[in-house]
């Protein structure tokens, strides 16, 4: 008997929470990761818990950017592994992106739990644990500055789902194009990334996989035009307007 009945009005959100709580119990997710989810959920409420038009545009630009990349890398952490391990592996295969484990609250046991889960879900090589190929990214204080020479360090495009602002800024300063999923259009990550998908990663990731598949049939000129036409600042503003309009509708008394 499932703990959360499908008929519960917040069933979807509760199921996502359950995935994170299980991830925490299995050593994948840090305590702080649970809080990060809560911050995201609040913004999901304000977005009406659906993928908006602006998010769909960002997804299209992200897919084009990933397909154009020379060395695309997806940075994985505990939350993303607990929420959508299958999809993250699928996205890496679809876009030929490498996977690299990179944690804010680093810990060998957690690193291994993440790798084990991703491998169970079909991942090949996962970078980020070999001391011999590790190097430092300047501009970050936390353990996350340690990156793989053949992964994030060499990458031109890095996907950082559910990221902290400091790291996004450091990656940008290092000249990387940064793609992120972040429900909060106001966060430093959202504001500093090159392409911000303002949506719940559990909804947006399948759309990104589909879009990457669709766009893989297009030539590079078309992909480049999609990227050139995308303006992250404008897109973030559209997301904020979406929240404002949603709140205005909800604020109507009659
Ligand atoms: P920043 O450091 O970028 O200013 P922050 O300090 O406010 O952000 P963090 O805890 O560092 O927040 O990062 C977690 C981010 O992940 C939050 O902005 C939150 O909105 C986002 N987030 C959490 N869960 C999800 C999810 N399921 N889908 C998309 N975004 C999420
Ligand atoms: Mg932060």
């Amino acid at each position: 008997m499932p703990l959360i009945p499908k008929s519960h009005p917040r069933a979807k959100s509760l199921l996502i929470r359950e995935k994170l709580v299980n991830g925490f119990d299995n050593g994948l997710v840090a305590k702080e990761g649970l809080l990060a989810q809560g911050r995201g959920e609040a913004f999901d409420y304000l977005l009406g818990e659906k993928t908006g038009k602006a998010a769909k545009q960002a997804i299209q630009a992200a897919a084009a950017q990933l397909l154009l990349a020379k060395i695309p890398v997806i940075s994985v952490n505990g939350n993303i592994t607990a929420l959508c391990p299958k999809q993250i592996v699928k996205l890496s295969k679809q876009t030929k992106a490498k996977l690299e484990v990179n944690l804010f609250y680093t810990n060998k046991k957690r690193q291994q739990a993440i790798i084990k889960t991703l491998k169970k879900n079909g991942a090949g090589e996962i970078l980020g644990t070999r001391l011999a190929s590790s190097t430092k990214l300047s501009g970050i204080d936390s353990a996350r500055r340690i990156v793989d020479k053949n992964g994030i360090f060499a990458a031109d495009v890095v996907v950082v789902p559910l990221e902290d602002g400091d790291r996004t800024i450091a990656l940008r300063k290092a000249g990387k194009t940064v793609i992120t999923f972040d429900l909060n259009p106001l966060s430093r990550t959202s504001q500093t990334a090159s392409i911000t998908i303002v949506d719940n990663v559990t909804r947006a990731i399948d759309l990104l996989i589909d879009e990457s598949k669709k766009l893989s049939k297009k030539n590079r000129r078309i992909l480049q035009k999609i990227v050139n036409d995308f303006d992250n600042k404008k897109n973030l503003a559209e997301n904020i307007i979406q929240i404002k309009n949603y709140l205005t509708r909800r604020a109507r008394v009659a």
Side-chain angles (χ1 to χ4, degrees):
M1 183 71 177
L3 283 176
I4 302 163
K6 276 208 179 85
S7 57
H8 190 288
R10 308 216 44 75
K12 254 192 203 159
S13 164
L14 293 178
L15 282 170
I16 295 173
R17 275 194 187 172
E18 199 171 67
K19 279 189 189 173
L20 277 168
V21 171
N22 287 340
F24 176 77
D25 290 340
N26 297 332
L28 282 178
V29 173
K31 277 187 217 128
E32 293 80 359
L34 299 175
L35 294 168
Q37 171 69 18
R39 186 170 283 170
E41 281 175 0
F43 280 94
D44 210 2
Y45 238 115
L46 301 179
L47 284 159
E49 293 176 295
K50 58 176 198 280
T51 308
K53 211 170 123 198
K56 284 182 189 154
Q57 272 166 4
I59 288 167
Q60 191 194 41
Q65 185 63 266
L66 274 169
L67 294 167
L68 284 169
K70 286 195 192 78
I71 307 178
V73 175
I74 303 171
S75 174
V76 290
N77 62 16
N79 280 41
I80 193 75
T81 306
L83 288 174
C84 31
K86 264 201 185 73
Q87 292 96 321
I88 219 76
V89 173
K90 212 167 154 192
L91 180 67
S92 83
K93 290 191 174 155
Q94 183 64 47
T95 60
K96 300 190 178 63
K98 299 180 187 187
L99 291 170
E100 178 166 340
V101 56
N102 192 279
L103 309 179
F104 192 93
Y105 299 97
T106 194
N107 151 343
K108 283 263 164 310
K109 242 172 120 182
R110 215 147 60 72
Q111 220 175 34
Q112 287 312 317
I114 290 170
I115 289 173
K116 204 172 136 199
T117 305
L118 291 175
K119 293 230 158 151
K120 232 194 320 190
N121 283 279
E125 191 187 10
I126 299 167
L127 302 171
T129 57
R130 276 191 58 224
L131 229 82
S133 62
S134 74
T135 186
K136 280 180 193 156
L137 205 67
S138 62
I140 330 176
D141 291 331
S142 75
R144 308 196 74 184
R145 68 175 182 271
I146 315 267
V147 291
D148 198 295
K149 272 183 205 158
N150 306 310
I152 291 173
F153 190 77
D156 54 343
V157 178
V158 191
V159 183
V160 287
L162 324 178
E163 190 52 65
D164 177 62
D166 285 355
R167 187 142 175 284
T168 311
I169 294 164
L171 288 168
R172 294 285 282 135
K173 276 195 185 144
K176 318 283 180 202
T177 296
V178 176
I179 298 170
T180 192
F181 296 87
D182 196 328
L183 278 159
N184 175 5
L186 306 171
S187 77
R188 288 174 309 149
T189 298
S190 284
Q191 295 282 334
T192 51
S194 319
I195 301 173
T196 307
I197 299 168
V198 180
D199 195 14
N200 199 316
V201 71
T202 58
R203 285 192 299 268
I205 195 150
D206 285 321
L207 300 176
L208 182 57
I209 295 166
D210 290 350
E211 193 64 24
S212 304
K213 198 168 177 187
K214 199 174 114 197
L215 290 184
S216 65
K217 296 176 187 91
K218 305 277 182 202
N219 68 38
R220 292 182 70 83
R221 204 172 40 82
I222 292 175
L223 299 179
Q224 194 61 60
K225 182 165 170 16
I226 292 173
V227 170
N228 293 350
D229 287 347
F230 182 79
D231 179 338
N232 205 44
K233 283 269 178 274
K234 221 170 115 192
N235 193 271
L236 288 168
E238 280 165 25
N239 277 295
I240 294 167
I241 291 167
Q242 186 189 317
I243 291 177
K244 193 178 121 209
N245 291 343
Y246 179 70
L247 291 179
T248 305
R249 281 201 304 278
R250 293 297 302 255
R252 280 193 196 119
V253 180

